[in-house]
């Protein structure tokens, strides 16, 4: 049975807590994660088919389908995070309630996702369009700024999913949680991301090794339909909740630390 921490933990213990949370929540989170991964894989395969065919009209149609699949994936992301957070809090969350929460929080979640992605997109775009020497100048500014934003606002997604805060309020609350703990948060996220990429890379590598040269079609790497529709979505559905379990564990620990600092500040203010 999962045991919720009641006090702030060292980084290693927080990561251990995240893995424990993953083990206790994966059965409930898997169906939502799998549905999200299947939707994304179907559109990605269709986009590849349209690209090989060279049909411009089909590309526009598939681009619209990609936006739709992104919306479906984002919608199903809420039940994944909410289910993991419920296990963390020792609550029971029915699948119907998780989907109802996704419908209620979809627009705020979309707003946070768009703003969060835009912070990174703008930094990358500046580097692409900057002429000559400005590329070097912007790389010194834009890249560190994008990395800083990536960490500073990382908790906005779980906040907007489960705390019922608005878009800007969620971003601000994430900033407050990370403030003074940026390097700690960045280190923990890096470890979690590396673990995820190692497992996911192993799964993709196994498929490539098994299929061999048959994957190359018209100069592009193409997986068989059962790999795109079943194997990779199952691997993604099994591994992505790990990232969110680690994120929820980090978020809960940062919240404990933040609330503890607030209480200490209030006590100090009363004493003076």
């Amino acid at each position: 049975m999962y045991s919720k921490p009641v006090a702030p933990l060292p980084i290693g213990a927080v990561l251990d807590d995240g893995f424990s949370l993953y083990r206790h929540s994966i059965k409930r989170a898997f169906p939502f994660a799998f549905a999200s991964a299947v939707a994304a894989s179907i559109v990605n395969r269709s986009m590849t088919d349209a690209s090989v065919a060279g049909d411009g009209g089909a590309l526009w149609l598939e681009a619209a389908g990609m936006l739709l699949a992104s919306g479906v994936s984002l919608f199903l992301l809420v039940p994944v995070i909410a289910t993991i957070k419920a296990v963390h809090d020792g609550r029971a969350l029915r699948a119907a309630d998780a989907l109802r929460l996704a419908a209620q929080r979809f627009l705020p979640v979309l707003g946070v996702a768009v703003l969060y992605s835009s912070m990174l997109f703008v930094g990358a775009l500046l580097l692409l369009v900057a002429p000559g020497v400005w590329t070097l100048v912007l790389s010194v500014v834009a890249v560190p700024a994008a990395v800083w934003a990536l960490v500073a606002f990382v908790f906005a997604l779980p906040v907007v999913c489960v705390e019922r805060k608005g878009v800007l309020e969620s971003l601000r609350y994430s900033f407050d949680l990370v403030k003074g703990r940026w390097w700690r948060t960045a280190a923990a996220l890096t470890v979690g991301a590396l673990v995820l990429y190692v497992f996911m890379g192993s799964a993709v590598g196994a498929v490539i090794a098994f299929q061999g040269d048959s994957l190359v079609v018209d100069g592009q790497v193409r997986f068989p339909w059962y790999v795109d529709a079943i194997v990779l979505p199952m691997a993604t559905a099994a591994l992505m909740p790990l990232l969110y379990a680690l994120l929820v564990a980090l978020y809960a620990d940062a919240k404990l630390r933040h609330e503890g600092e607030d209480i200490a500040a209030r006590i100090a203010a009363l004493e003076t």
Side-chain angles (χ1 to χ4, degrees), residues 11 15 19 185-198 243 246:
I11 291 180
L15 293 174
F19 283 108
T185 306
L189 289 172
T190 300
V191 173
L194 287 175
V195 171
L196 180 68
Y197 289 140
V198 166
L243 178 62
L246 292 172

Side-chain angles (χ1 to χ4, degrees), residues 22-40:
Y22 168 75
R23 290 195 303 271
H24 287 86
S25 62
I26 181 59
K27 288 183 180 179
R28 302 178 188 178
F30 181 86
F32 299 115
F34 180 70
S36 175
V38 168

Side-chain angles (χ1 to χ4, degrees), residues 39-99:
S41 68
I42 290 174
V43 173
N44 287 338
R45 185 175 182 86
S46 299
M47 286 288 290
T48 304
D49 290 341
S51 177
V52 171
D55 188 342
L59 285 176
W60 281 107
L61 181 60
E62 299 304 334
M66 192 172 191
L67 289 176
L68 178 60
S70 298
V72 171
S73 297
L74 193 62
F75 177 86
L76 293 171
L77 176 65
V78 178
V80 173
I81 294 178
T83 298
I84 294 172
K85 186 64 166 60
V87 172
H88 176 272
D89 295 342
R91 296 182 290 106
L93 183 66
R94 297 182 306 169
D97 293 333
L99 290 172

Side-chain angles (χ1 to χ4, degrees), residues 4 9 34 51 76 102 108 112-113 118 133 160 166 196 209 226 269:
K4 174 183 176 180
L9 301 172
F34 180 70
S51 177
L76 293 171
V112 166
S118 296
V133 70
V160 76
L196 180 68
Y226 57 86

Side-chain angles (χ1 to χ4, degrees), residues 108-124:
V109 170
L110 177 62
V112 166
V114 170
L115 288 179
Y116 189 69
S117 302
S118 296
M119 296 175 191
L120 308 179
F121 176 76
V122 169

